[in-house]
Amino acid sequence: NSDFDQTDLVLVVGANDTCNSAAEDDPNSVIAGMPVLRVWRAKEVIVLKRSMATGYAGVDNPIFLKENTSCCSETPRRHSSSCAPESRSTSRPRP
């Protein structure tokens, strides 16, 4: 979790509750206090999900609305290449 502050890009595939900032930010949330991955601290977050529906806990995920988050709500395998063209164009070339 401490690495996310220095992370350029996080790719979240199909996760919801495990990276929900409400667990830390909303003391009244049903998931308050639950351990989560703090992906929202990265410079950029790309979320790939079949839908933007709530997860198992039934809680909306505030990271979907954060300025550093891009969401793709289609089947990830079919659409992952078109979700974040800005990220691909600024990525470092592979050796």
Side-chain angles (χ1 to χ4, degrees):
N1 257 340
S2 60
D3 291 336
F4 287 123
D5 289 324
Q6 292 85 37
T7 302
D8 291 329
L9 175 68
V10 172
L11 182 62
V12 177
V13 181
N16 195 353
D17 297 332
T18 59
C19 61
N20 191 324
S21 62
E24 293 188 354
D25 299 340
D26 183 358
N28 297 316
S29 175
V30 296
I31 62 169
M34 182 181 94
V36 291
L37 297 170
R38 296 179 183 126
V39 299
W40 60 89
R41 292 185 175 180
K43 289 178 187 166
E44 184 176 0
V45 180
I46 299 174
V47 177
L48 303 174
K49 290 185 54 144
R50 282 182 271 164
S51 76
M52 291 294 114
T54 61
Y56 183 78
V59 178
D60 287 328
N61 194 331
I63 72 164
F64 298 161
L65 305 175
K66 291 190 182 286
E67 210 170 286
N68 66 331
T69 302
S70 300
C71 298
C72 247
S73 60
E74 292 288 334
T75 305
R77 183 180 295 177
R78 288 189 295 148
H79 296 281
S80 61
S81 63
S82 64
C83 287
E86 305 83 22
S87 298
R88 286 195 322 277
S89 65
T90 59
S91 62
R92 295 182 197 118
R94 297 174 93 183

